[in-house]
Amino acid sequence: MESVDTALDGVWPAQLRTDRLLLRPVTREDGPLVSELLTDDRVRAHLGGPVTEERVAARQAAYPTTAGAFTVVRVADQRPIGLVTIGADHRCEGRAEISYQLLPAAWGEGMGREAVAAAASWWTHAVPGGGPLVAVTQKANTASCRMLEAIGMTVIDELDEHGARQCLYTPAGDSDDSDLRWLRLLAERQDAGERRRGAQARATATGQNLPDELAALTPDELARLCPARHGAYGRICARTAAHVPDLHLGRAPDGSWIAWLTTAEV
């Protein structure tokens, strides 16, 4: 799977159309919109409050060159009314996050739902290899939660962030971009972390001499290998107490098999 930034670069710039909206890349002419969104008490009520002038200026400069940053334009009067962005999620490598802000004058008309649904659908269907998508909103922001649920997203986790309880949503259903997809990705990252943290250090002489093709082992040698799959990817052992057989498998950073014994070698 390629990185989120690489996936975005391959399809950007992009424009999306809905019945009432145009989503287009942010331009420098959208500076007043960016400033209004970032300094409005109501917009920022669940986003940490209004930001400083320096932060506004930095965002105004960055958005026009950021792949995945859409200005939401109301077609009826051509007025920019908000922002929707898709970018790399800092919490989990390989996962994308969608975020959104809409001017209060456009609230209550389903504009946010329409814009976010269009961007999420675009990511799912037009960005091959882009990875799973999540949205994070404060649990106290009931309007945002209802909006995400209305477009078919479902809560799969809660976390504490920025001093508040947050709900983590992902598209529901049985597609590759369902919650299962990013959960598998997270499991893969955790497995990789386990391998990096300790497998090589715990490798015994027996384990270090394992062949790359495990089928080459003798029946007696195979009988010593733990058959459990403790992770979603690969054959990774957690080395738990009283766990048998006693030879536990892992992967070295170069991809070769290594293993370690629960009990010390004689």
Side-chain angles (χ1 to χ4, degrees):
M1 181 185 297
E2 60 188 345
S3 72
V4 170
D5 291 336
T6 299
L8 281 169
D9 287 341
V11 296
W12 196 257
Q15 287 195 358
L16 312 178
R17 292 295 299 264
T18 70
D19 291 341
R20 298 179 293 172
L21 304 172
L22 168 68
L23 278 69
R24 57 160 175 79
V26 180
T27 68
R28 298 196 182 281
E29 287 69 33
D30 295 319
L33 169 69
V34 174
S35 178
E36 187 173 358
L37 288 169
L38 294 180
T39 58
D40 188 285
D41 289 334
R42 292 165 294 176
V43 175
R44 302 293 301 177
H46 298 284
L47 297 171
V51 306
T52 64
E53 291 183 6
E54 292 78 11
R55 187 76 177 274
V56 169
R59 292 286 187 89
Q60 287 172 326
Y63 273 132
T65 60
T66 301
F70 291 101
T71 293
V72 181
V73 179
R74 186 163 51 198
V75 173
D77 57 9
Q78 294 298 301
R79 183 188 177 192
I81 59 171
L83 299 172
V84 173
T85 62
I86 295 180
D89 179 9
H90 69 276
R91 305 171 194 84
C92 179
E93 183 182 353
R95 191 173 72 186
E97 179 181 4
I98 185 168
S99 57
Y100 43 88
Q101 300 175 67
L102 216 64
L103 293 175
W107 291 0
E109 301 176 23
M111 298 286 187
R113 180 173 65 248
E114 196 170 317
V116 174
S121 178
W122 170 75
W123 176 259
T124 299
H125 298 103
V127 188
L133 179 70
V134 298
V136 178
T137 189
Q138 272 196 29
K139 191 172 185 178
N141 191 351
T142 55
S144 181
C145 292
R146 286 197 302 268
M147 185 271 288
L148 292 172
E149 291 161 7
I151 66 172
M153 286 192 162
T154 185
V155 176
I156 55 173
D157 199 5
E158 292 187 12
L159 61 148
D160 292 313
E161 195 172 68
H162 308 305
R165 194 66 172 169
Q166 311 284 341
C167 292
L168 190 149
Y169 284 81
T170 198
D174 57 2
S175 71
D176 281 346
D177 286 281
S178 69
D179 54 318
L180 291 178
R181 182 177 177 189
W182 82 260
L183 284 171
R184 291 190 188 106
L185 177 69
L186 183 58
E188 181 182 20
R189 304 297 179 191
Q190 290 172 334
D191 286 349
E194 165 62 20
R195 295 195 292 273
R196 287 193 301 270
R197 282 193 299 270
Q200 184 115 44
R202 295 194 300 268
T204 63
T206 300
Q208 289 171 336
N209 291 327
L210 280 175
D212 288 338
E213 179 50 63
L214 295 181
L217 294 175
T218 68
D220 286 344
E221 290 171 329
L222 282 172
R224 299 184 68 193
L225 296 181
C226 173
R229 291 181 179 270
H230 294 281
Y233 291 80
R235 203 172 182 185
I236 310 303
C237 284
R239 190 181 171 181
T240 57
H243 194 48
V244 294
D246 61 355
L247 189 59
H248 300 264
L249 287 175
R251 287 279 195 181
D254 64 1
S256 61
W257 285 107
I258 58 174
W260 58 98
L261 290 172
T262 302
T263 54
E265 282 189 301
V266 179

